[in-house]
Amino acid sequence: MIFGFLKEYQLNIMLLLCGACGMMAILLLITRFLDKRRKWTLFTMELVAFFLLWFDRLAYIYAGDVSSKGYIMVRVSNCAVFVLTSAVVFSFNLYLQDLLTGEKEQKIRSKRLTAVGVASFFGMVLAIASAFNDFYYYFDANNTYHRGHGFLVAYIIPIVCPLVQYTVIRQNKKHFSKLIYTSLVLYIFVPIICGILQIFAYGVSIVNMAMVAVSVSLYIFTYLDINNTVEHAHTVELQNMQGEHQRMQRLFDQTAKAFVSAVEKKDDFTKGNAVKVAEYARKITARCGLDKEECDKAYYAALLHDVGLIGLPDSVIKNEEDPGKWDVETFRQKPAIGKEILSNITEFPYLSVGAYYSHERYNGTGYPEGLKGEDIPEIARIIAVADAYVTMTSKKRYRDAKPDFVAREAFVKGAGIEFDPEFAGLMVKIIDEESSGKQHDDISLVEKELTCDAYRDNISMGIPVSGNIIRIRFKSKDNRESESSFGGPSIILFDSYDRRVHDNKKAIEAYHYVEYGEIWFDDSSITTHARRIMEIQLDDAAGYEKLGDDEYEIIAAKYDDHVKIIMRGPHHEKQDIIALTDGSTSVYIGITGEKCEISGITIEQTDEVVDEKSIPRISDEISYIDHMESDIKNIQISQTRSAATEGIELKNRLRINFHAMSLPVASFIWHCPYIAIFSSDDGQVFGENYHEYALIKINGENEIKDHYSENEFTMKKKDNFPGWEEWKEKNKEGVECEVTFERKGNSIITTTENLGIYIENVTVIKENPAKIYVALTGDRVALTDIRIR
């Protein structure tokens, strides 16, 4: 069927292939992406293939034509076909030699290819001779072509020579690309296969058509290979450019950091701060959804924003006093100096912008120009937030570093006042995420040795006391000058944001320092802010390990508002119970002493958990919920979400009214009531299969729960908002709160307003729980008189 189709339409197929071959030849003439020699070799191949098929077609057209023209054309055409068949092998041989001598600058010479060239040339000569001796073919009286006795000899060159060429190709395969190698294999074997078939398919010129077809394919594969080569070269060029860009970026980064390091040499307390500010600026920018380029801009602008310090006198930079006593006018020259320095880097104008405007404040109270709101460049607003965080949490000459939660409150309170509210909110979320993985009470920071001369002149960092028993051991060497003088170790019980004991009024206020009492390793103790310290008999059967002559041990634990401390020394062992102000306070042990050297301090945090039976109560529990109860039981929340009301099922509409009072120990604006929207099997917060959809704090914060829901949160400060400090004080006095809920399917709208803080939150739940509940919880707050409507 196929041969029948080819026989019927072969003249048209030949014409089509001739056209394709001619087109390839024309394209080769005008192409510029090939070297000259290969271009003309390919052109010769396409031209030979064109004339091979053209003359083959003429031979079929004039076959049987007995006219004078037919007589000539049949003989000329057939002679040309046999000559050009060997010429195809000859031209391909030239192409192959060019590939081997020019491919990747490899100068490969092959004797086999030389032999093929000679053989194919001989084949052309033999084809011309056969036109006169009827060896390959002859014509009858009707001018019709017939195969001669030596016809098969004509196929030796087109079949054997390509096989020899293939051995060379195979041997040098590594020098060819995949596309070129594929095209060479096709060029050789397709005509050979067709040549074998041609022996049995008389009257159809499939060999010549195949030769032309693979000649066309050779150009196509060459073009594709060149295209791949160009793409590869382009990729390499891009990689080189990217590599160069990265090298320039590293050079700029190293230069900038070296410059910053030189600036920070003026003040040891600022060492490393510029890099920290830059990292937080990058984090804030990334959370805004901006691309890497914008993040890098924020990074380097923040890194260099304080270079103006280099132009300030050391007397200003190294001032030991509080900022309020600084030479303000001199210090405020820093942005202008920084701008002047960085303006010379004209390729990156954002650097000078960041340095000049990063001390502006969102409400217009900053400097140097007093810009307000979005008139301040965005990059400067980002730097202002990042710089404020690093400044607050870094040690200064005039104060210690502030803990994260102090900085957190500063951003919550300062949003829309000092700081851009969007960037301040993002910084709060960064702080929350980093704090969740940070060990705030790291016992490895506690000193291992102390030299105590006068009492309390050297005190260790606070060792946290919690619901797990902690064991502290150390040795103490007596440095008393006489037996009559007092000396020895002791401990201080206290609470402080920075885990340090303070006696300076400003530090006490800044770190919310509270001292509960002092206890010695004898019968002595002093009660300060603890409600009571009472020594009770130590169980002799406890089986404590015997201590050495200079060894001391402290065993401590806390349950609710009571602490138990066992103190053991060489001469005395006792057990003290301390009643704190309430259960919401933290407590630390600071080791100190008088005229002694303390060494080898070790701390072991055990897995032993105490309960109410472990520590005898010496004072009644202080309750702030001993008030009238309404629809739901009153709750006192001593720690973050340590208690919650029972779940209230939300069906359509719901209103909850209650009285809220922040506990006396409440320090931060988020020490207030929270509203939880959730589902669980038992309707309890943190119950079985608990899924939380929203957590709303009435101070205007929220914790987005994206896993099970989507929340759209809005907070506005109304005209009657009294300011944060008064807001906190009023909450400590007690406020009436109202929260309303409206549910439509899986969408819930929550609204509340408290002391000028208006909150609206739209929660869309992504799943289909059987029941949805709301509950009240919070942090360091008492909730009473809870009414459901």
Side-chain angles (χ1 to χ4, degrees):
M1 182 181 295
I2 296 175
F3 283 113
F5 175 81
L6 291 174
K7 192 169 184 178
E8 183 177 355
Y9 295 103
Q10 71 171 330
L11 293 179
N12 294 332
I13 295 172
M14 287 178 174
L15 186 61
L16 178 64
L17 289 172
C18 282
C21 210
M23 183 65 70
M24 297 299 107
I26 294 171
L27 290 174
L28 280 166
L29 282 175
I30 62 175
T31 191
R32 290 183 294 179
F33 60 76
L34 287 171
D35 66 77
K36 188 174 182 180
R37 181 177 174 183
R38 189 166 304 177
K39 170 181 167 179
W40 286 107
T41 302
L42 280 170
F43 176 76
T44 301
M45 291 177 66
E46 298 296 339
L47 205 61
V48 169
F50 172 81
F51 283 113
L52 171 64
L53 205 56
W54 181 263
F55 282 114
D56 198 13
R57 186 172 182 274
L58 291 178
Y60 278 99
I61 291 173
Y62 287 102
D65 187 346
V66 295
S67 65
S68 299
K69 182 180 179 182
Y71 182 86
I72 295 170
M73 291 303 296
V74 164
R75 283 158 178 76
V76 171
S77 297
N78 278 281
C79 179
V81 167
F82 280 89
V83 171
L84 292 171
T85 300
S86 293
V88 167
V89 178
F90 184 81
S91 60
F92 179 68
N93 205 61
L94 293 175
Y95 175 68
L96 193 55
Q97 286 177 324
D98 178 65
L99 285 177
L100 291 174
T101 57
E103 190 75 16
K104 297 182 180 178
E105 299 182 354
Q106 297 290 330
K107 305 299 182 182
I108 300 172
R109 304 290 180 182
S110 174
K111 293 180 179 180
R112 283 169 286 174
L113 291 183
T114 303
V116 167
V118 173
S120 56
F121 180 79
F122 176 75
M124 290 186 280
V125 173
L126 191 60
I128 295 172
S130 69
F132 303 99
N133 57 22
D134 297 338
F135 183 64
Y136 285 169
Y137 54 87
Y138 64 91
F139 302 95
D140 60 18
N142 294 321
N143 203 27
T144 302
Y145 167 90
H146 294 280
R147 292 176 177 176
H149 296 294
F151 172 75
L152 292 178
V153 177
Y155 277 82
I156 294 175
I157 300 299
I159 292 177
V160 175
C161 286
L163 291 175
V164 175
Q165 290 170 330
Y166 176 70
T167 63
V168 177
I169 293 169
R170 183 69 183 176
Q171 182 182 353
N172 297 282
K173 181 180 178 181
K174 64 181 180 180
H175 299 299
F176 306 121
S177 67
K178 288 183 179 179
L179 284 172
I180 292 296
Y181 180 77
T182 302
S183 68
L184 296 177
V185 171
L186 289 175
Y187 195 91
I188 287 173
F189 286 104
V190 170
I192 289 175
I193 294 169
C194 291
I196 295 170
L197 295 175
Q198 180 75 76
I199 297 172
F200 306 100
Y202 187 75
V204 181
S205 188
I206 56 175
V207 173
N208 294 338
M209 287 191 289
M211 283 185 173
V212 174
V214 292
S215 294
V216 172
S217 72
L218 195 67
Y219 172 82
I220 295 172
F221 276 99
T222 301
Y223 179 81
L224 293 175
D225 180 66
I226 292 295
N227 187 59
N228 285 349
T229 303
V230 171
E231 286 185 355
H232 176 69
H234 180 64
T235 301
V236 170
E237 184 180 4
L238 282 177
Q239 289 174 346
N240 290 336
M241 290 176 63
Q242 290 171 354
E244 185 64 26
H245 175 73
Q246 289 170 356
R247 284 191 290 273
M248 293 299 294
Q249 186 77 10
R250 285 195 297 271
L251 178 61
F252 177 73
D253 182 75
Q254 292 166 2
T255 303
K257 287 179 178 176
F259 182 39
V260 167
S261 178
V263 173
E264 290 179 341
K265 290 289 184 183
K266 291 176 71 71
D267 184 2
D268 292 339
F269 286 88
T270 63
K271 187 176 181 180
N273 282 5
V275 173
K276 292 178 185 178
V277 174
E279 291 291 352
Y280 282 109
R282 175 180 275 160
K283 289 179 181 179
I284 294 169
T285 309
R287 285 174 178 264
C288 292
L290 299 176
D291 59 23
K292 184 180 182 301
E293 183 180 354
E294 293 301 317
C295 292
D296 286 344
K297 286 182 180 180
Y299 177 88
Y300 287 108
L303 182 69
L304 296 166
H305 82 285
D306 258 351
V307 298
L309 284 172
I310 203 168
L312 299 182
D314 290 349
S315 59
V316 173
I317 295 174
K318 295 183 178 181
N319 194 322
E320 300 284 348
E321 302 293 335
D322 285 354
K325 298 181 180 180
W326 286 1
D327 184 347
V328 175
E329 292 304 316
T330 300
F331 195 81
R332 287 191 172 188
Q333 294 174 13
K334 182 183 71 168
I337 297 170
K339 178 184 178 182
E340 183 179 355
I341 294 170
L342 296 174
S343 293
N344 294 310
I345 308 177
T346 55
E347 289 294 319
F348 306 123
Y350 57 86
L351 297 177
S352 60
V353 170
Y356 189 64
Y357 294 106
S358 59
H359 290 278
E360 299 286 358
R361 292 295 173 254
Y362 200 74
N363 60 359
T365 59
Y367 63 92
E369 295 188 4
L371 299 183
K372 186 176 182 179
E374 295 191 3
D375 290 340
I376 306 169
E378 182 180 64
I379 199 166
R381 284 179 273 143
I382 291 172
I383 295 171
V385 170
D387 182 51
Y389 175 71
V390 173
T391 299
M392 283 186 277
T393 57
S394 299
K395 182 178 176 63
K396 298 295 182 184
R397 292 181 182 278
Y398 51 87
R399 63 160 174 80
D400 286 330
K402 294 181 180 179
D404 289 343
F405 43 83
V406 173
R408 185 187 191 280
E409 183 179 55
F411 288 118
V412 175
K413 292 166 65 174
I417 302 172
E418 289 185 72
F419 310 110
D420 183 300
E422 179 186 2
F423 302 141
L426 292 173
M427 191 68 238
V428 167
K429 295 187 184 303
I430 292 171
I431 293 170
D432 289 344
E433 289 178 8
E434 292 186 349
S435 297
S436 64
K438 189 183 292 184
Q439 189 175 352
H440 289 286
D441 291 336
D442 187 355
I443 58 177
S444 68
L445 300 177
V446 178
E447 296 85 347
K448 300 295 186 290
E449 297 180 353
L450 295 169
T451 299
C452 304
D453 187 14
Y455 179 56
R456 294 178 62 139
D457 68 348
N458 204 354
I459 306 170
S460 75
M461 176 177 279
I463 301 167
V465 181
S466 64
N468 291 68
I469 294 175
I470 192 166
R471 299 177 186 272
I472 307 166
R473 280 198 173 195
F474 58 87
K475 293 182 178 182
S476 180
K477 179 183 176 183
D478 191 347
N479 284 342
R480 290 181 297 168
E481 296 176 353
S482 66
E483 291 292 330
S484 60
S485 62
F486 179 81
S490 62
I491 63 171
I492 301 171
L493 299 180
F494 68 95
D495 185 16
S496 176
Y497 289 166
D498 64 349
R499 294 170 57 190
R500 290 290 184 185
V501 173
H502 297 283
D503 55 13
N504 177 275
K505 183 178 180 181
K506 287 188 176 181
I508 289 172
E509 291 177 358
Y511 296 105
H512 287 232
Y513 176 75
V514 177
E515 188 169 307
Y516 301 118
E518 301 161 272
I519 307 175
W520 284 262
F521 283 84
D522 55 20
D523 293 331
S524 304
S525 65
I526 296 176
T527 302
T528 311
H529 283 89
R531 287 187 286 157
R532 187 181 181 191
I533 297 178
M534 186 175 112
E535 182 178 342
I536 62 175
Q537 184 177 359
L538 181 63
D539 187 0
D540 294 333
Y544 296 112
E545 180 183 345
K546 183 175 176 59
L547 300 175
D549 291 341
D550 59 351
E551 290 184 328
Y552 293 80
E553 183 180 45
I554 302 167
I555 303 171
K558 175 178 180 287
Y559 180 80
D560 199 18
D561 58 350
H562 275 51
V563 175
K564 179 171 77 172
I565 297 180
I566 297 171
M567 300 180 66
R568 303 176 61 229
H571 309 295
H572 190 78
E573 294 183 349
K574 68 174 181 177
Q575 178 175 251
D576 284 326
I577 306 299
I578 301 95
L580 304 175
T581 50
D582 60 50
S584 62
T585 57
S586 299
V587 62
Y588 297 93
I589 293 174
I591 302 173
T592 186
E594 183 178 357
K595 293 183 174 58
C596 62
E597 287 187 14
I598 298 170
S599 62
I601 299 174
T602 62
I603 306 166
E604 179 191 359
Q605 185 78 57
T606 72
D607 295 328
E608 300 175 64
V609 180
V610 298
D611 55 24
E612 58 185 340
K613 296 179 181 178
S614 306
I615 303 177
R617 179 169 287 279
I618 61 172
S619 296
D620 293 335
E621 180 181 6
I622 297 177
S623 175
Y624 298 98
I625 57 173
D626 188 16
H627 299 282
M628 177 183 68
E629 289 188 343
S630 295
D631 298 327
I632 289 182
K633 186 178 178 181
N634 298 339
I635 59 170
Q636 183 169 314
I637 309 160
S638 300
Q639 301 290 337
T640 305
R641 302 187 68 178
S642 59
T645 66
E646 63 185 58
I648 306 162
E649 185 179 358
L650 177 59
K651 295 180 179 179
N652 297 307
R653 293 184 178 180
L654 179 67
R655 187 179 77 215
I656 303 176
N657 295 83
F658 58 94
H659 181 82
M661 184 186 76
S662 296
L663 301 182
V665 295
S667 303
F668 299 105
I669 58 177
W670 57 81
H671 290 164
C672 64
Y674 301 169
I675 303 145
I677 303 175
F678 66 97
S679 68
S680 65
D681 292 348
D682 58 1
Q684 301 298 318
V685 172
F686 303 129
E688 192 74 22
N689 291 322
Y690 181 77
H691 289 183
E692 189 165 280
Y693 306 123
L695 183 68
I696 302 163
K697 305 176 183 181
I698 69 165
N699 68 309
E701 292 187 78
N702 73 96
E703 291 186 13
I704 300 298
K705 307 294 179 179
D706 290 333
H707 189 64
Y708 301 113
S709 63
E710 293 179 354
N711 286 272
E712 186 178 335
F713 184 82
T714 303
M715 187 275 276
K716 296 178 182 178
K717 295 176 185 175
K718 293 201 168 181
D719 293 339
N720 60 335
F721 174 65
W724 284 115
E725 291 306 315
E726 187 175 344
W727 189 90
K728 286 199 295 185
E729 289 304 316
K730 286 184 178 292
N731 272 273
K732 283 190 175 184
E733 294 171 4
V735 293
E736 290 296 325
C737 301
E738 179 177 285
V739 187
T740 61
F741 306 87
E742 184 175 351
R743 176 184 175 186
K744 293 181 180 179
N746 279 10
S747 178
I748 301 167
I749 301 174
T750 306
T751 56
T752 184
E753 183 178 342
N754 301 279
L755 297 175
I757 299 293
Y758 173 80
I759 297 170
E760 180 178 299
N761 186 69
V762 180
T763 305
V764 179
I765 300 172
K766 298 178 183 178
E767 55 188 13
N768 293 301
K771 293 181 179 180
I772 299 174
Y773 300 94
V774 298
L776 299 178
T777 181
D779 189 357
R780 291 164 176 80
V781 66
L783 306 180
T784 58
D785 191 20
I786 305 170
R787 292 147 283 155
I788 303 170
R789 300 289 183 268

